[in-house]
Structure formats: C-alpha cells, structure tokens
Amino acid sequence: MTRQYVSPHSLDAIDQEIDKAETIISMLGTANQGQSYEQGIIDALLWVQGRIPPPADITL
C-alpha cells in the first residue's frame, strides 16, 4: 500500500528552486564542490518535505 504525500510547497515554488539551481550551475558550475550528488538529492527531498530551507538558498 502506498501513502499519498502532500508537499508544503506549491509546484511554482518547486519550479522556482529548479530555476535558481540552474542559474547557479550556469554561473558557477556548482556551488557545492564538496557535496555529493546523493547529498544534493537528500537536501532536495528534505526541502520538499518542509524540513530544511531551500537548497539553493543554503548555497548562496
């Protein structure tokens, strides 16, 4: 049985975070040299759950 999940963030808020991340990548390459891909996934999912600030804001 799967449980349904409702994000505390709107689809627009999620799209804005994606846009911020793409902007950071285009300007800096990456703002998280010491972070693994997997940690980035964890941070994104924690944000979607409302447990941490937006990942793009953490790196700025």
Side-chain angles (χ1 to χ4, degrees):
M1 178 167 107
T2 37
R3 298 182 302 167
Q4 295 241 337
Y5 176 76
V6 177
S7 174
H9 305 288
S10 68
L11 290 176
D12 285 341
I14 293 169
D15 285 340
Q16 287 175 351
E17 289 306 310
I18 292 168
D19 290 343
K20 283 184 203 175
E22 288 174 339
T23 299
I24 290 168
I25 290 169
S26 70
M27 292 172 56
L28 304 174
T30 182
N32 294 304
Q33 294 277 337
Q35 189 175 42
S36 69
Y37 170 81
E38 293 81 5
Q39 186 60 49
I41 296 295
I42 291 167
D43 288 349
L45 292 172
L46 288 172
W47 174 73
V48 167
Q49 290 178 333
R51 296 170 59 189
I52 65 170
D57 288 350
I58 293 169
T59 62
L60 298 177

